[in-house]
Coordinates of all heavy atoms in Angstrom, one line a residue:
P9 N 39.0 -69.7 -60.4 CA 39.0 -70.9 -61.1 C 37.7 -71.0 -61.9 O 36.6 -70.7 -61.4 CB 39.0 -72.0 -60.0 CG 39.5 -71.3 -58.8 CD 39.1 -69.9 -58.9
A52 N 32.2 -103.2 -61.3 CA 33.0 -104.4 -61.0 C 32.2 -105.4 -60.2 O 32.3 -106.6 -60.4 CB 34.2 -104.0 -60.3
V85 N 27.5 -96.3 -47.0 CA 26.9 -97.5 -46.4 C 26.5 -98.5 -47.5 O 26.7 -99.7 -47.4 CB 25.7 -97.1 -45.5 CG1 24.9 -98.3 -45.1 CG2 26.1 -96.2 -44.3
P115 N 20.5 -80.3 -35.6 CA 20.8 -81.7 -35.8 C 20.4 -82.2 -37.2 O 19.4 -81.7 -37.7 CB 20.1 -82.5 -34.7 CG 19.7 -81.4 -33.7 CD 19.5 -80.2 -34.5
Y125 N 23.6 -89.0 -39.2 CA 24.9 -88.4 -38.9 C 25.7 -88.1 -40.2 O 25.4 -88.7 -41.2 CB 25.7 -89.4 -38.0 CG 26.1 -90.7 -38.7 CD1 27.3 -90.9 -39.4 CD2 25.2 -91.8 -38.6 CE1 27.6 -92.1 -40.0 CE2 25.5 -93.0 -39.2 CZ 26.7 -93.1 -39.9 OH 27.0 -94.3 -40.5
R178 N 55.0 -95.2 -73.4 CA 54.3 -95.3 -74.6 C 52.8 -95.0 -74.4 O 52.3 -95.2 -73.3 CB 54.4 -96.8 -75.1 CG 55.8 -97.2 -75.5 CD 55.8 -98.7 -75.7 NE 54.8 -99.2 -76.7 CZ 54.5 -100.5 -76.9 NH1 55.2 -101.4 -76.1 NH2 53.7 -100.9 -77.8
G192 N 36.1 -84.5 -63.4 CA 36.0 -83.3 -62.5 C 35.6 -82.1 -63.2 O 35.1 -82.1 -64.4
R216 N 40.1 -73.0 -49.4 CA 40.3 -73.5 -48.0 C 41.7 -73.7 -47.7 O 42.6 -73.8 -48.5 CB 39.5 -74.9 -48.0 CG 40.1 -76.0 -48.8 CD 41.0 -76.9 -47.9 NE 41.4 -78.1 -48.7 CZ 42.6 -78.1 -49.2 NH1 43.5 -77.2 -49.1 NH2 43.0 -79.2 -49.9
L235 N 29.3 -63.5 -44.5 CA 30.6 -63.4 -45.1 C 30.7 -62.1 -45.8 O 30.0 -61.8 -46.7 CB 30.9 -64.6 -46.0 CG 32.3 -64.9 -46.5 CD1 33.2 -65.1 -45.3 CD2 32.4 -66.0 -47.4
Y245 N 29.3 -68.5 -47.9 CA 29.4 -68.8 -46.5 C 30.9 -69.2 -46.2 O 31.6 -69.6 -47.1 CB 28.5 -69.9 -46.0 CG 28.7 -71.2 -46.6 CD1 29.5 -72.2 -46.0 CD2 28.0 -71.5 -47.8 CE1 29.7 -73.4 -46.6 CE2 28.2 -72.8 -48.4 CZ 29.0 -73.7 -47.8 OH 29.2 -75.0 -48.4
E293 N 47.2 -67.2 -38.6 CA 48.2 -67.4 -39.7 C 49.4 -68.3 -39.2 O 49.9 -69.1 -40.0 CB 48.7 -66.0 -40.2 CG 49.5 -66.1 -41.4 CD 48.7 -66.4 -42.7 OE1 47.5 -66.3 -42.7 OE2 49.3 -66.9 -43.6
A296 N 48.6 -72.1 -39.5 CA 48.2 -72.6 -40.8 C 49.1 -73.8 -41.2 O 50.3 -73.8 -40.9 CB 48.4 -71.5 -41.9
P313 N 24.2 -82.9 -73.1 CA 23.6 -84.0 -72.4 C 24.5 -84.8 -71.6 O 25.7 -84.9 -71.9 CB 23.0 -84.9 -73.6 CG 24.0 -84.6 -74.7 CD 24.4 -83.2 -74.5
N330 N 25.2 -79.5 -55.8 CA 24.0 -78.9 -55.3 C 24.1 -77.4 -55.2 O 25.0 -76.9 -54.5 CB 23.7 -79.5 -53.9 CG 22.3 -79.0 -53.4 OD1 21.8 -78.0 -53.8 ND2 21.9 -79.7 -52.3
L367 N 21.2 -96.6 -72.6 CA 22.2 -95.6 -72.2 C 21.5 -94.2 -72.3 O 21.8 -93.3 -71.5 CB 23.4 -95.7 -73.1 CG 24.3 -96.9 -72.9 CD1 25.3 -97.1 -73.9 CD2 25.0 -96.9 -71.5
Y382 N 17.1 -79.0 -58.6 CA 18.2 -78.1 -59.0 C 17.6 -76.8 -59.6 O 18.3 -75.8 -59.5 CB 19.0 -78.8 -60.1 CG 20.1 -79.8 -59.5 CD1 20.2 -79.9 -58.1 CD2 21.0 -80.5 -60.3 CE1 21.2 -80.8 -57.6 CE2 21.9 -81.3 -59.8 CZ 22.0 -81.5 -58.5 OH 23.0 -82.3 -57.9
P395 N 22.2 -58.7 -52.1 CA 22.7 -58.5 -50.7 C 21.5 -58.2 -49.8 O 21.5 -58.6 -48.6 CB 23.6 -57.3 -50.8 CG 24.1 -57.3 -52.2 CD 23.0 -57.8 -53.1
I435 N 8.7 -79.8 -49.5 CA 9.9 -79.8 -50.4 C 9.8 -80.7 -51.5 O 10.1 -80.3 -52.7 CB 11.1 -80.1 -49.5 CG1 11.4 -79.0 -48.4 CG2 12.4 -80.3 -50.4 CD1 12.4 -79.4 -47.4
A437 N 7.0 -81.7 -53.0 CA 6.0 -81.2 -53.9 C 6.6 -80.1 -54.8 O 6.4 -80.0 -56.0 CB 4.8 -80.8 -53.2

Side-chain angles (χ1 to χ4, degrees):
V85 173
Y125 63 93
R178 292 169 58 189
R216 67 99 175 100
L235 192 61
Y245 62 91
E293 190 69 23
N330 182 345
L367 291 168
Y382 278 1
I435 295 169

